[in-house]
Amino acid sequence: MSLPTAFLDAAARLIPQERRFDDPLSTLAFGTDASFYRLIPQLVIRVESEREVVELLKLAGVHRVPVTFRAAGTSLSGQAISDSVLLMLGDHWNGREVRNDGAQIRLQPGVIGASANAVLAPYQRKIGPDPASIAAARIGGIVANNSSGMCCGTAQNSYHTLAGLRLVLADGTLVDTEDPASVASFQHSHADLLQQLAELGRQTRGNSELAAKIRHKYRLKNTTGLSLNALVDFDEPLDILSHLMVGSEGTLGFISAVTYHTVPEHPHKASALLVFPDVESCCRAVPLLKLQPVSAVELLDRRSLRSVQDKPGMPVWVRALSGGACALLIESRAASASLLDEQVDAIMAAIAHFPLEKQVDFSTDPAVYNLLWKIRKDTFPAVGAVRATGTTVIIEDVTFPLEVLAEGVNRLLELLDKHGYSEAIIFGHALEGNLHFVFTQGFDDPAQVARYQAFMGEVAQLVAVEFGGALKAEHGTGRNMAPFVELEWGSEAYQLMWAIKRLLDPLGILNPDVILSEDRELHLKNLKPLPAADALVDKCIECGFCEPVCPSRGLTLSPRQRIVIWRDIQAKKRAGIDTAELEAAYQHHGLDTCAATGLCAQRCPVGINTGDLVRQLRGEQARHRGSATWLAGHFATALQGARLGLLAADTARRLLGAPRLARWAAGLHRQLGTPLWTAAMPQPVQALKWVAAPPSERPRVVYLPACVSRAMGPAFSDSEQSTLLDKTRALLEKAGFAVIFPDGLDQLCCGQPFTSKGYASQGDNKRDELLATLLRASRNGQDPIYCDTSPCTLRLVQGNADSRLRLYDPVKFIREHLLDKLEITPQEAPVAVHVTCSTQHLGEAEGLIEIARRCAKQVVIPEGIHCCGFAGDKGFTTPELNAHALRSLKDAVQVCAEGVSTSRTCEIGLSQHSGIDYHSLVYLLDRVSRPKGRTADLWAENPGATD
């Protein structure tokens, strides 16, 4: 049924056009979540204020329009999709307020869970919920789903750590439980509602059988249905209301802010892996461990261990475990090292009588415990990586009472075998009896759907009826388990949930069919297709973990959305449907505005780099291969042309003045698509000329200035007017090195400019040519090779097959070769640090930050900026990507007078959008350092010696 015209007109008056989406690309892209269900909204609205939510809910009520709230879309059970109106959180829901030295924190629903913990880290506190998706999931979804995780258990989830709530009800009424004036107003305006909630509570507490059932159900980890425990835990109606909102999945109201009681984040931790010979002995150990000072106990069945045993870095012994083996991964945390030792001794003493097949003792060594947790974290993606194209990965989570955990595991294994899920694995949060089972499922033919239906029916009977457990422990009910809520809870409790729903949402407009549904086959409808699109991305499970690091998210598409749309295009083509209009839209949204930096691959559970797909598609569109080949063969000419272009721009700036030139350039860019000139545009660098110095006793370093360093100097307004090339050479010499330049420098290039435009073969040829030249310059690898920008270094490192070459980006070379030769006096002035995408890929992010902290007493790392979006030359050609990626930068760096990074092009965009000058890290290090020891003597004897 289409949306009422009156509603659409009223929404258009309230929300600007740029935040309303009804085109096929946007509705499919924004309407996709991490579940295996698909509904396509008719209208997506990006809301930016509480007032907008209030007014839209009032409109929805008047016109009987269903609405669904959407935060990050990492939910797994179909609770964040809609075929009506989807209200999606925009940028302005990111507020946070730390209270009482970290004992509490007030958060708006758009804050990413991991960001909340980063704010709390200086206080050694964290929020209680710790879902696996915490680096992508947002607070609104974490509260609305009552998400938990490995360490959270039941005591530290959102329900039990809730200190206050600000919410909007279905009728548009706003109430803040921490604001006395708001509470008083609400008690006056909604006295009848509060009275009815209080009466429901009294009736429930007075029904001893029902109250006992509720208490039993929430003794377990349980997110099936509404949070009925609110009716037995509280008698004040406002407390009942606020706790009903936790886990309500947007079916009772909109959570506008939440205040948490935080929990300790102890700095000392140790982990161990204990492998038991069978499931029974493994599960019998769990109740004993629950009495001990453990922070997490993760169960891994033999299938889970088998799924990762052949991965790089896995211990050889994993492969040799017996067929029935079952493991517990145990972590303990403490406020001090001595207390941690005591805890470890107590834990091991408690289970000393259990026979073990294999044991990795408790270790505080990060290399050891990170490997152990890698075993656990790699299990889910291991299943996803082997699934057949077109199938989806389903991760279910159930809870068994601890006393029957062993039988529950074995019975689940039997069901998986019975229904032919041979690839399935079981792991979970053992302390709570919470098991995840992961399997692959196709929905493209009736037989597969029937198999899934039969399997889930038997699982529901086993878990909910036979064992009295929970069908959803922490993933939320959603559409997936809505048909089974009555089976699990019984008719009386089920009707109580409906009474709550009808009281708080009498018109039924809030997320219909989620949690509560009259449709007993809802879980079998609107199943998401995952058609083949390209081998590069076919393993994508659309989880959304990639989205927070994508610079184009919110401007056009995220990596998940790029894959969703490309899948749809390919499926439509195979069906003979015309895709011309969709592909035209995808050109801008999917290809032109992708930075293709590959940060998405770092967050992706199965390692997908959506940039690889984008580069491949650009390559298919590339129409100037002859020109690309000519430029590769005449690169020195091309580089000189770039210098001349920069000179022409700078001459125009001198003649017209920077403000006028900026206005003219912006107009030409809008009309003709010409590259955008800004005040941060570099001045040209003259071609390098040097005279070889006589041989010296100094150690040699081969210095490879990137082509951008050879062409682009400082901006005219920059406080630093030395070129990066000159500054780097001076720093290397100060540290006692003789600097060697490769022969034919201006002809050399790593090939990245060609590859990013889709000319992969030309790019690879240039890279290989450069690597061969560097091998000669370094005397077959005797000398280290320093490249002054991290993107070029990454390109060379990834393409280098010769183990003799020792390639360094600025951070690694400074760490390993310069710091011990320099005496550093940190400056007082604060410094902003931008960690480039390539620095992250090189594993040098922490190294860059640590060097900056040695050079400056205060270092600012702007939150939420993972990629600057300049992407080589897109800052000139597609400047909206750079502007969007850095939209929060200026406010974050106001206390700084300078920023540092390791990419010359990134620094252009950073300078433009921050209001401060960004330079290479070497500028800062050179300024605050002087040579020491023998290096100082050599420097005094012969400053500036260069070969």
Side-chain angles (χ1 to χ4, degrees), residues 792-832:
C792 298
T793 315
L794 177 65
R795 167 87 177 152
L796 294 174
V797 168
Q798 291 177 334
N800 177 42
D802 194 325
S803 60
R804 293 174 292 176
L805 283 177
R806 293 182 291 149
L807 298 159
Y808 292 86
D809 77 316
V811 178
K812 186 176 181 181
F813 193 85
I814 289 169
R815 279 196 306 104
E816 296 187 6
H817 294 287
L818 297 190
L819 289 180
D820 62 339
K821 299 178 178 64
L822 299 172
E823 182 178 318
I824 298 172
T825 304
Q827 68 179 36
E828 296 288 340
V831 170

Short mmCIF file of all heavy atoms in Angstrom, two decimals, residues 792-832:
data_model
loop_
_atom_site.label_atom_id
_atom_site.label_comp_id
_atom_site.label_asym_id
_atom_site.label_seq_id
_atom_site.Cartn_x
_atom_site.Cartn_y
_atom_site.Cartn_z
N CYS A 792 52.41 5.34 -1.15
CA CYS A 792 53.36 4.75 -2.09
C CYS A 792 54.09 3.58 -1.46
O CYS A 792 54.34 2.56 -2.11
CB CYS A 792 54.36 5.81 -2.56
SG CYS A 792 53.59 7.18 -3.44
N THR A 793 54.43 3.70 -0.18
CA THR A 793 55.10 2.60 0.50
C THR A 793 54.21 1.37 0.51
O THR A 793 54.67 0.25 0.23
CB THR A 793 55.44 2.98 1.95
OG1 THR A 793 56.01 4.28 1.99
CG2 THR A 793 56.40 1.98 2.55
N LEU A 794 52.95 1.55 0.84
CA LEU A 794 52.03 0.42 0.88
C LEU A 794 51.94 -0.26 -0.47
O LEU A 794 51.98 -1.49 -0.57
CB LEU A 794 50.65 0.89 1.32
CG LEU A 794 49.56 -0.18 1.34
CD1 LEU A 794 49.86 -1.25 2.38
CD2 LEU A 794 48.19 0.45 1.59
N ARG A 795 51.85 0.53 -1.51
CA ARG A 795 51.77 -0.01 -2.88
C ARG A 795 53.00 -0.86 -3.19
O ARG A 795 52.89 -1.95 -3.74
CB ARG A 795 51.65 1.15 -3.85
CG ARG A 795 51.86 0.82 -5.31
CD ARG A 795 50.62 0.39 -5.99
NE ARG A 795 50.88 0.16 -7.40
CZ ARG A 795 50.21 -0.69 -8.14
NH1 ARG A 795 49.22 -1.38 -7.63
NH2 ARG A 795 50.50 -0.84 -9.42
N LEU A 796 54.17 -0.39 -2.79
CA LEU A 796 55.40 -1.13 -3.07
C LEU A 796 55.50 -2.38 -2.19
O LEU A 796 55.90 -3.45 -2.67
CB LEU A 796 56.62 -0.23 -2.83
CG LEU A 796 56.76 0.95 -3.79
CD1 LEU A 796 57.91 1.85 -3.36
CD2 LEU A 796 56.98 0.47 -5.22
N VAL A 797 55.13 -2.25 -0.93
CA VAL A 797 55.19 -3.40 -0.03
C VAL A 797 54.27 -4.51 -0.51
O VAL A 797 54.64 -5.69 -0.53
CB VAL A 797 54.83 -2.96 1.41
CG1 VAL A 797 54.58 -4.18 2.30
CG2 VAL A 797 55.94 -2.10 2.00
N GLN A 798 53.07 -4.14 -0.92
CA GLN A 798 52.11 -5.15 -1.37
C GLN A 798 52.53 -5.81 -2.68
O GLN A 798 52.17 -6.97 -2.93
CB GLN A 798 50.73 -4.52 -1.53
CG GLN A 798 50.08 -4.11 -0.21
CD GLN A 798 48.75 -3.42 -0.39
OE1 GLN A 798 48.49 -2.79 -1.44
NE2 GLN A 798 47.89 -3.49 0.61
N GLY A 799 53.30 -5.10 -3.50
CA GLY A 799 53.70 -5.66 -4.80
C GLY A 799 55.10 -6.22 -4.83
O GLY A 799 55.54 -6.71 -5.88
N ASN A 800 55.80 -6.16 -3.71
CA ASN A 800 57.20 -6.59 -3.68
C ASN A 800 57.32 -8.08 -3.37
O ASN A 800 56.85 -8.54 -2.34
CB ASN A 800 57.97 -5.78 -2.64
CG ASN A 800 59.42 -6.24 -2.53
OD1 ASN A 800 60.06 -6.50 -3.54
ND2 ASN A 800 59.90 -6.36 -1.31
N ALA A 801 57.97 -8.81 -4.25
CA ALA A 801 58.19 -10.24 -4.03
C ALA A 801 59.65 -10.54 -3.70
O ALA A 801 60.01 -11.70 -3.51
CB ALA A 801 57.76 -11.03 -5.26
N ASP A 802 60.47 -9.53 -3.65
CA ASP A 802 61.92 -9.71 -3.42
C ASP A 802 62.23 -9.45 -1.95
O ASP A 802 62.14 -8.31 -1.48
CB ASP A 802 62.71 -8.75 -4.32
CG ASP A 802 64.19 -9.14 -4.38
OD1 ASP A 802 64.73 -9.61 -3.37
OD2 ASP A 802 64.80 -8.96 -5.46
N SER A 803 62.57 -10.48 -1.24
CA SER A 803 62.81 -10.35 0.21
C SER A 803 64.04 -9.49 0.52
O SER A 803 64.23 -9.09 1.67
CB SER A 803 62.98 -11.74 0.83
OG SER A 803 64.08 -12.41 0.24
N ARG A 804 64.88 -9.22 -0.49
CA ARG A 804 66.07 -8.41 -0.22
C ARG A 804 65.73 -6.94 0.01
O ARG A 804 66.48 -6.24 0.71
CB ARG A 804 67.06 -8.53 -1.39
CG ARG A 804 67.67 -9.92 -1.54
CD ARG A 804 68.53 -9.98 -2.80
NE ARG A 804 67.71 -9.88 -4.01
CZ ARG A 804 68.20 -9.83 -5.25
NH1 ARG A 804 69.52 -9.84 -5.44
NH2 ARG A 804 67.40 -9.75 -6.30
N LEU A 805 64.65 -6.48 -0.58
CA LEU A 805 64.29 -5.06 -0.46
C LEU A 805 63.72 -4.76 0.93
O LEU A 805 62.79 -5.43 1.38
CB LEU A 805 63.26 -4.68 -1.53
CG LEU A 805 63.79 -4.48 -2.94
CD1 LEU A 805 62.64 -4.19 -3.89
CD2 LEU A 805 64.80 -3.34 -2.98
N ARG A 806 64.27 -3.78 1.58
CA ARG A 806 63.79 -3.34 2.89
C ARG A 806 63.12 -1.98 2.72
O ARG A 806 63.78 -0.95 2.63
CB ARG A 806 64.94 -3.27 3.88
CG ARG A 806 65.53 -4.64 4.23
CD ARG A 806 66.64 -4.50 5.25
NE ARG A 806 67.82 -3.85 4.69
CZ ARG A 806 68.67 -3.09 5.39
NH1 ARG A 806 68.43 -2.84 6.67
NH2 ARG A 806 69.74 -2.56 4.81
N LEU A 807 61.79 -2.02 2.62
CA LEU A 807 61.01 -0.82 2.31
C LEU A 807 60.40 -0.24 3.59
O LEU A 807 59.82 -0.97 4.40
CB LEU A 807 59.89 -1.18 1.33
CG LEU A 807 60.35 -1.69 -0.04
CD1 LEU A 807 59.26 -2.48 -0.73
CD2 LEU A 807 60.79 -0.52 -0.91
N TYR A 808 60.52 1.06 3.73
CA TYR A 808 60.05 1.72 4.95
C TYR A 808 59.17 2.91 4.59
O TYR A 808 59.51 3.71 3.72
CB TYR A 808 61.22 2.25 5.78
CG TYR A 808 62.10 1.19 6.39
CD1 TYR A 808 63.14 0.62 5.67
CD2 TYR A 808 61.90 0.77 7.70
CE1 TYR A 808 63.97 -0.34 6.22
CE2 TYR A 808 62.72 -0.19 8.29
CZ TYR A 808 63.75 -0.74 7.55
OH TYR A 808 64.56 -1.69 8.11
N ASP A 809 58.06 3.03 5.32
CA ASP A 809 57.31 4.28 5.29
C ASP A 809 57.95 5.20 6.34
O ASP A 809 58.81 4.78 7.10
CB ASP A 809 55.83 4.03 5.57
CG ASP A 809 55.55 3.80 7.04
OD1 ASP A 809 56.32 3.05 7.69
OD2 ASP A 809 54.58 4.36 7.57
N PRO A 810 57.53 6.47 6.41
CA PRO A 810 58.17 7.37 7.38
C PRO A 810 58.07 6.88 8.82
O PRO A 810 59.03 7.00 9.58
CB PRO A 810 57.39 8.69 7.18
CG PRO A 810 56.95 8.64 5.75
CD PRO A 810 56.62 7.21 5.49
N VAL A 811 56.93 6.34 9.20
CA VAL A 811 56.74 5.95 10.59
C VAL A 811 57.69 4.82 10.97
O VAL A 811 58.39 4.88 11.99
CB VAL A 811 55.28 5.53 10.85
CG1 VAL A 811 55.10 5.08 12.29
CG2 VAL A 811 54.34 6.68 10.53
N LYS A 812 57.71 3.78 10.19
CA LYS A 812 58.56 2.63 10.53
C LYS A 812 60.04 3.00 10.51
O LYS A 812 60.80 2.58 11.38
CB LYS A 812 58.30 1.48 9.56
CG LYS A 812 59.03 0.20 9.93
CD LYS A 812 58.67 -0.94 8.98
CE LYS A 812 59.40 -2.22 9.40
NZ LYS A 812 59.09 -3.35 8.49
N PHE A 813 60.45 3.82 9.54
CA PHE A 813 61.86 4.20 9.48
C PHE A 813 62.25 5.06 10.68
O PHE A 813 63.31 4.88 11.28
CB PHE A 813 62.17 4.94 8.18
CG PHE A 813 63.65 5.07 7.92
CD1 PHE A 813 64.35 4.04 7.30
CD2 PHE A 813 64.34 6.20 8.32
CE1 PHE A 813 65.72 4.15 7.09
CE2 PHE A 813 65.71 6.31 8.11
CZ PHE A 813 66.40 5.28 7.49
N ILE A 814 61.36 5.97 11.03
CA ILE A 814 61.65 6.82 12.20
C ILE A 814 61.74 5.95 13.45
O ILE A 814 62.65 6.11 14.28
CB ILE A 814 60.57 7.90 12.35
CG1 ILE A 814 60.71 8.95 11.24
CG2 ILE A 814 60.65 8.58 13.72
CD1 ILE A 814 59.53 9.90 11.15
N ARG A 815 60.81 5.03 13.61
CA ARG A 815 60.81 4.16 14.79
C ARG A 815 62.10 3.34 14.89
O ARG A 815 62.71 3.25 15.96
CB ARG A 815 59.63 3.19 14.75
CG ARG A 815 58.31 3.72 15.18
CD ARG A 815 57.30 2.60 15.49
NE ARG A 815 57.13 1.65 14.41
CZ ARG A 815 57.64 0.42 14.39
NH1 ARG A 815 58.42 0.01 15.37
NH2 ARG A 815 57.40 -0.39 13.36
N GLU A 816 62.49 2.75 13.77
CA GLU A 816 63.57 1.77 13.81
C GLU A 816 64.95 2.37 13.58
O GLU A 816 65.95 1.78 14.00
CB GLU A 816 63.31 0.67 12.77
CG GLU A 816 62.06 -0.15 13.07
CD GLU A 816 61.90 -1.33 12.13
OE1 GLU A 816 62.83 -1.58 11.31
OE2 GLU A 816 60.86 -2.01 12.21
N HIS A 817 65.04 3.53 12.94
CA HIS A 817 66.35 4.04 12.54
C HIS A 817 66.68 5.46 13.00
O HIS A 817 67.85 5.86 12.94
CB HIS A 817 66.50 3.98 11.02
CG HIS A 817 66.52 2.59 10.47
ND1 HIS A 817 67.60 1.75 10.60
CD2 HIS A 817 65.57 1.89 9.79
CE1 HIS A 817 67.33 0.59 10.03
NE2 HIS A 817 66.09 0.65 9.53
N LEU A 818 65.68 6.23 13.43
CA LEU A 818 65.96 7.62 13.76
C LEU A 818 65.84 7.95 15.25
O LEU A 818 66.64 8.74 15.77
CB LEU A 818 65.04 8.56 12.97
CG LEU A 818 65.15 8.56 11.44
CD1 LEU A 818 64.36 9.73 10.86
CD2 LEU A 818 66.60 8.63 10.98
N LEU A 819 64.87 7.38 15.93
CA LEU A 819 64.60 7.80 17.30
C LEU A 819 65.81 7.62 18.22
O LEU A 819 66.04 8.44 19.12
CB LEU A 819 63.40 7.05 17.86
CG LEU A 819 62.03 7.43 17.27
CD1 LEU A 819 60.92 6.61 17.91
CD2 LEU A 819 61.76 8.92 17.44
N ASP A 820 66.57 6.56 18.01
CA ASP A 820 67.72 6.34 18.88
C ASP A 820 68.89 7.26 18.56
O ASP A 820 69.86 7.33 19.30
CB ASP A 820 68.17 4.88 18.81
CG ASP A 820 68.63 4.48 17.41
OD1 ASP A 820 68.24 5.16 16.45
OD2 ASP A 820 69.38 3.49 17.29
N LYS A 821 68.80 7.98 17.45
CA LYS A 821 69.89 8.87 17.05
C LYS A 821 69.56 10.34 17.31
O LYS A 821 70.38 11.22 17.02
CB LYS A 821 70.20 8.67 15.56
CG LYS A 821 70.63 7.25 15.20
CD LYS A 821 70.86 7.12 13.69
CE LYS A 821 71.35 5.73 13.31
NZ LYS A 821 70.33 4.69 13.60
N LEU A 822 68.36 10.61 17.80
CA LEU A 822 67.92 11.99 17.98
C LEU A 822 67.52 12.26 19.42
O LEU A 822 66.92 11.41 20.09
CB LEU A 822 66.73 12.29 17.06
CG LEU A 822 66.97 12.16 15.55
CD1 LEU A 822 65.67 12.29 14.79
CD2 LEU A 822 67.99 13.19 15.07
N GLU A 823 67.85 13.44 19.88
CA GLU A 823 67.39 13.89 21.18
C GLU A 823 66.17 14.78 20.96
O GLU A 823 66.26 15.79 20.24
CB GLU A 823 68.50 14.66 21.88
CG GLU A 823 68.13 15.13 23.28
CD GLU A 823 69.29 15.85 23.95
OE1 GLU A 823 70.44 15.38 23.83
OE2 GLU A 823 69.03 16.90 24.58
N ILE A 824 65.04 14.40 21.55
CA ILE A 824 63.77 15.08 21.28
C ILE A 824 63.33 15.88 22.49
O ILE A 824 63.29 15.37 23.62
CB ILE A 824 62.69 14.04 20.90
CG1 ILE A 824 63.09 13.30 19.62
CG2 ILE A 824 61.32 14.70 20.73
CD1 ILE A 824 62.19 12.15 19.26
N THR A 825 62.98 17.11 22.24
CA THR A 825 62.40 17.97 23.28
C THR A 825 60.97 18.28 22.86
O THR A 825 60.75 19.08 21.94
CB THR A 825 63.19 19.28 23.44
OG1 THR A 825 64.57 18.96 23.72
CG2 THR A 825 62.61 20.12 24.56
N PRO A 826 59.99 17.64 23.47
CA PRO A 826 58.61 17.80 22.99
C PRO A 826 58.13 19.24 23.10
O PRO A 826 58.44 19.95 24.05
CB PRO A 826 57.80 16.87 23.90
CG PRO A 826 58.65 16.66 25.10
CD PRO A 826 60.07 16.75 24.63
N GLN A 827 57.38 19.68 22.12
CA GLN A 827 56.87 21.04 22.10
C GLN A 827 55.61 21.15 22.95
O GLN A 827 54.89 20.18 23.19
CB GLN A 827 56.58 21.48 20.67
CG GLN A 827 55.42 20.76 19.99
CD GLN A 827 55.18 21.26 18.58
OE1 GLN A 827 56.11 21.60 17.86
NE2 GLN A 827 53.92 21.33 18.18
N GLU A 828 55.33 22.36 23.40
CA GLU A 828 54.16 22.62 24.22
C GLU A 828 52.88 22.66 23.37
O GLU A 828 51.81 22.24 23.80
CB GLU A 828 54.31 23.95 24.96
CG GLU A 828 55.44 23.99 25.97
CD GLU A 828 55.14 23.16 27.21
OE1 GLU A 828 53.95 22.89 27.46
OE2 GLU A 828 56.10 22.80 27.91
N ALA A 829 53.00 23.16 22.15
CA ALA A 829 51.82 23.38 21.31
C ALA A 829 51.17 22.04 20.94
O ALA A 829 51.85 21.10 20.53
CB ALA A 829 52.21 24.13 20.05
N PRO A 830 49.84 21.93 21.08
CA PRO A 830 49.14 20.69 20.71
C PRO A 830 49.25 20.41 19.22
O PRO A 830 49.31 21.33 18.39
CB PRO A 830 47.68 20.97 21.10
CG PRO A 830 47.74 22.12 22.04
CD PRO A 830 48.92 22.94 21.63
N VAL A 831 49.25 19.13 18.88
CA VAL A 831 49.37 18.69 17.49
C VAL A 831 48.23 17.73 17.17
O VAL A 831 47.92 16.84 17.98
CB VAL A 831 50.72 17.98 17.25
CG1 VAL A 831 50.75 17.31 15.89
CG2 VAL A 831 51.87 18.96 17.37
N ALA A 832 47.60 17.91 16.02
CA ALA A 832 46.58 16.97 15.54
C ALA A 832 47.26 15.90 14.70
O ALA A 832 48.19 16.20 13.94
CB ALA A 832 45.53 17.71 14.72
#
